[in-house]
């Protein structure tokens, strides 16, 4: 299944996914449910019910951590074995704090690790953490890298 945030980014991402599904590489992947959510949604009951009724084995969450974490908590109460897959925008400490144990086993793409031993990375992480009070996420690191 696909849980998609209904904004420009979510709509464009869903269109890209649909195009990918037309390729030979993904021809055996079957999306049995697609649910759109609005920013600020905190009751995911209708989406949870739709995914459960569709018998989803996995759900790709095309949303930000503020939606993905509470969705994970709600879906795992009903479908504890469903495989959750999120996106780079969810790869943050806040996502893990909000979602807690419901996120165990969630698959996330990673392009940046805060425990990288490279001195440049370590210096960036240490300085950012000292100023902000939390470790940087992937998007912060990419923005920093792009600007420097």
């Amino acid at each position: 299944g696909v849980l998609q945030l209904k904004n420009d980014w979510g709509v464009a991402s869903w269109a890209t996914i649909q195009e990918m599904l037309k390729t030979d590489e993904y021809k055996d992947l079957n999306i049995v449910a697609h649910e759109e959510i609005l920013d600020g949604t905190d009751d995911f009951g209708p989406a949870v019910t739709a995914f459960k009724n569709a018998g989803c084995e996995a759900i790709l969450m095309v949303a930000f951590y503020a939606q993905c974490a509470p969705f994970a908590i709600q879906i795992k109460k009903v479908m504890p074995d469903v495989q959750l897959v999120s996106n780079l925008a969810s790869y943050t400490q806040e996502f893990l704090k909000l979602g807690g144990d419901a996120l165990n086993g969630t698959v996330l793409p990673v392009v940046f690790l805060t425990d990288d031993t490279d001195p440049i990375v370590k210096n960036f992480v240490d300085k950012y953490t000292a100023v902000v009070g939390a470790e940087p996420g992937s998007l912060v690191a990419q923005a920093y890298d792009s600007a420097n």
Side-chain angles (χ1 to χ4, degrees):
V2 176
L3 178 76
Q4 175 229 310
L5 183 60
K6 191 173 182 178
N7 65 7
D8 290 345
W9 170 74
V11 170
S13 296
W14 174 235
T16 300
I17 291 166
Q18 290 176 300
E19 287 303 311
M20 288 174 57
L21 292 172
K22 295 176 184 175
T23 67
D24 285 342
E25 185 176 357
Y26 297 100
K27 67 180 178 191
D28 295 328
L29 188 62
N30 185 21
I31 303 295
V32 297
H34 168 246
E35 292 293 313
E36 292 181 322
I37 58 167
L38 298 174
D39 193 15
T41 298
D42 59 2
D43 177 9
F44 296 94
V48 168
T49 300
F51 291 131
K52 183 177 189 296
N53 289 344
C56 292
E57 296 174 5
I59 300 169
L60 172 61
M61 301 179 289
V62 182
F64 299 116
Y65 74 84
Q67 296 89 30
C68 293
F71 171 76
I73 292 168
Q74 292 178 36
I75 193 79
K76 286 293 188 164
K77 287 179 182 174
V78 177
M79 300 177 71
D81 296 326
V82 71
Q83 176 65 62
L84 297 177
V85 180
S86 198
N87 58 77
L88 191 60
S90 290
Y91 186 71
T92 65
Q93 289 298 316
E94 191 65 19
F95 177 60
L96 299 176
K97 287 179 194 171
L98 289 173
D101 290 342
L103 297 175
N104 288 344
T106 299
V107 177
L108 291 161
V110 177
V111 296
F112 171 76
L113 297 171
T114 56
D115 61 356
D116 191 316
T117 58
D118 182 294
I120 295 171
V121 174
K122 184 165 179 13
N123 183 46
F124 164 68
V125 170
D126 291 347
K127 285 183 177 180
Y128 182 90
T129 303
V131 171
V132 177
E135 291 182 338
S138 290
L139 297 179
V140 170
Q142 286 179 318
Y144 176 81
D145 186 48
S146 294
N148 290 295

